[in-house]
Amino acid sequence: MILLNTCHIREKAAEKVYSELGRMKGLKVAKPDLKIGVAGCVAQAEGGEIMRRQPLVDLVVGPQSYHRLPELEAKAREGGKALDTDFPEEDKFDHLAARPKAKRAPSAFLTVQEGCDKFCAFCVVPYTRGAEVSRPADRVLREARDLVDRGVREITLLGQNVNAYHGQAPEGGEWGLARLIRELATVEGLERLRFTTSHPNDMEDDLIAAHGDCAKLMPYLHLPVQSGSDRILKAMNRKHTAESYIALIDRLRAVRPDLLLSGDFIVGFPGETDEDFEATLDLVRRVGYGQAYSFKYSSRPGTPAADRAQVDPDVATERLARLQALLTEQQRSAQQAMVGRETSVLFEKLGRKPGQLVGKSEHLHAVHADAEPEMIGKVVPVRIVESAANSLRAVVLQA
Ligand code: 5AD
Ligand code: SF4
């Protein structure tokens, strides 16, 4: 069986799925027993349409139904078409928790919430992933302890809008993300915490404070802004302004001056003028990002912005190139600023060159250094000695 896991956030991602499926025709001719499935958000959004458009597909499963995969697989094996894009009542995480207790890599993701209630005008997430749902805190804590028992030292809390987390608390009531992070920080053996992805309006006071006083919370924050123009932010239904975003960054940097910021940007949103785009460049210059993702606007059927007049594609292409040039320059200088600094690295695996290990710095830079393989899974003090295009080189310091 081949199972494609898919993303629906931009049209390009969804189109890739169909071209990939087209390329599988030959495989299916050579191996008639081969089953082909599509999972993820394209499956959720397109449903049975995938099987109509590409009849070689045997199985379609949305993100909320992964725990039903064994039954779906059996149905596909028997020659049927298996389709499940429900939002079931039962909690898939309860079923998925019964996995074998295998050892895990040093860094792991842990989903704490799914879905989003923000309804940004460009975004399919509220439709494909549904309403915001937070997992109860005791389940998250149990899963974190289990991960640590299996060798995990760094956990990244995951959610489409993770800082909207408001899980059921063990003693009743609810915990926000900051409280959850503070409790996780007490788990012995867990050395590093991160979270992604956040909306600026859900950055509660205690979460900002945690960046200053919770030693295990790493100095890296992915905080998408999308645009630097208030007119466009309004049209995007982002419910924040460029100034309120910058004020938030100032508060974060006041408690954690070396916080490395990452962001997401969309250029060519319907109605974006040259002036709006210049405002985005201005915001980028004012914030100074260590790393960022930027995209051309992609119209998603069913979203509020889908029917609005599009920006000339050539103009959008040119804007993206200019924005990316600026972001790349900022990334380079953030990396360069690390050279000479002492920090720590969590080694994750062998490097490409003999004798070398690779891992992540506190600021999420990829770092390679000469070290013994026994250091994999350990947080080790290092000095950064060189910055390459997309990674840093370090020397291990004696602890
Ligand atoms: N077009 C382009 N980029 C998009 N994103 C989400 N929806 C779209 C879209 N329709 C980007 C946003 C978001 C990131 C995950 O993907 O920047 O933060
Ligand atoms: Fe999409 Fe993020 Fe906006 Fe939610 S907050 S609608 S996931 S862009």
Side-chain angles (χ1 to χ4, degrees):
M1 166 172 270
I2 297 176
L3 194 56
L4 293 182
N5 196 16
T6 64
C7 176
H8 199 241
I9 197 92
R10 285 169 294 275
E11 191 178 4
K12 226 178 177 174
E15 277 312 313
K16 269 192 203 160
V17 178
Y18 282 107
S19 70
E20 197 67 37
L21 287 171
R23 295 205 287 127
M24 286 178 185
K25 269 192 194 141
L27 287 176
K28 191 116 174 176
V29 173
K31 263 186 177 267
D33 286 345
L34 178 72
K35 298 294 166 195
I36 293 177
V38 180
C41 290
V42 175
Q44 186 65 39
E46 305 261 297
E49 181 60 26
I50 299 183
M51 288 158 169
R52 277 187 288 277
R53 204 169 139 183
Q54 188 45 272
L56 62 73
V57 173
D58 304 291
L59 184 156
V60 171
V61 60
Q64 305 310 331
S65 307
Y66 290 158
H67 55 296
R68 294 180 176 168
L69 257 171
E71 298 130 63
L72 294 167
E73 201 245 279
K75 189 169 176 196
R77 288 258 162 256
E78 284 158 18
K81 294 272 181 193
L83 169 72
D84 192 339
T85 52
D86 292 348
F87 282 85
E89 278 298 310
E90 76 265 20
D91 184 354
K92 71 177 170 195
F93 293 107
D94 287 348
H95 299 260
L96 296 173
R99 290 160 301 190
K101 300 272 174 194
K103 198 164 157 48
R104 296 278 304 253
S107 185
F109 290 109
L110 199 174
T111 298
V112 300
Q113 74 80 233
E114 289 190 305
C116 184
D117 297 336
K118 285 284 184 285
F119 289 92
C120 299
F122 50 80
C123 185
V124 285
V125 168
Y127 310 95
T128 49
R129 304 306 297 258
E132 199 277 327
V133 179
S134 294
R135 296 180 64 198
D138 57 353
R139 306 255 176 91
V140 174
L141 285 165
R142 207 186 312 147
E143 201 169 316
R145 285 189 206 104
D146 177 58
L147 287 170
V148 171
D149 286 345
R150 291 152 69 183
V152 169
R153 295 292 166 261
E154 172 181 273
I155 290 180
T156 303
L157 305 176
L158 267 193
Q160 272 85 45
N161 185 16
V162 73
N163 61 342
Y165 178 84
H166 59 109
Q168 196 189 317
E171 71 274 21
E174 282 181 355
W175 283 359
L177 187 65
R179 180 70 197 275
L180 183 68
I181 286 171
R182 292 184 189 286
E183 295 295 329
L184 284 166
T186 67
V187 174
E188 213 174 309
L190 180 57
E191 300 192 52
R192 291 172 156 196
L193 285 161
R194 305 178 188 277
F195 61 93
T196 196
T197 285
S198 298
H199 188 287
N201 290 9
D202 292 321
M203 253 1 250
E204 52 176 356
D205 292 348
D206 196 24
L207 189 54
I208 297 173
H211 278 280
D213 61 32
C214 180
K216 290 185 182 178
L217 185 57
M218 292 292 103
Y220 176 99
L221 179 63
H222 182 67
L223 195 60
V225 65
Q226 315 296 354
S227 167
S229 155
D230 287 346
R231 219 177 56 81
I232 293 299
L233 287 169
K234 193 154 199 285
M236 285 177 164
N237 192 33
R238 287 288 294 180
K239 302 191 179 87
H240 60 78
T241 62
E243 279 312 318
S244 70
Y245 178 84
I246 285 172
L248 179 58
I249 302 292
D250 288 345
R251 288 181 65 201
L252 284 156
R253 283 187 167 146
V255 297
R256 184 76 209 225
D258 72 336
L259 186 70
L260 191 138
L261 280 153
S262 165
D264 288 344
F265 297 90
I266 296 177
V267 301
F269 184 78
E272 186 187 68
T273 63
D274 283 340
E275 203 183 321
D276 294 319
F277 175 65
E278 291 300 330
T280 298
L281 294 179
D282 276 348
L283 178 137
V284 170
R285 284 186 205 103
R286 283 177 71 187
V287 172
Y289 288 89
Q291 199 273 339
Y293 304 92
S294 48
F295 316 96
K296 255 187 277 185
Y297 170 71
S298 165
S299 171
R300 308 312 288 125
T303 60
D307 303 323
R308 300 181 195 164
Q310 304 274 313
V311 166
D312 178 341
D314 291 339
V315 171
T317 302
E318 198 237 83
R319 286 179 188 164
L320 186 65
R322 282 182 62 201
L323 175 61
Q324 290 187 338
L326 176 60
L327 290 168
T328 304
E329 192 185 301
Q330 292 193 343
Q331 181 187 327
R332 294 245 163 88
S333 66
Q335 282 185 206
Q336 196 57 43
M338 295 304 298
V339 175
R341 273 185 63 171
E342 290 184 13
T343 180
S344 75
V345 168
L346 170 60
F347 283 122
E348 292 176 1
K349 55 185 181 192
L350 296 176
R352 250 183 299 148
K353 293 191 191 138
Q356 218 178 50
L357 299 184
V358 289
K360 293 279 162 45
S361 73
E362 295 170 16
H363 298 86
L364 206 59
H365 287 122
V367 176
H368 51 98
D370 288 344
E372 299 299 321
E374 297 76 63
M375 304 292 245
I376 292 175
K378 298 214 160 65
V379 175
V380 177
V382 299
R383 178 181 291 111
I384 306 295
V385 292
E386 195 186 327
S387 169
N390 287 306
S391 66
L392 301 172
R393 190 165 69 80
V395 291
V396 174
L397 300 173
Q398 295 312 317

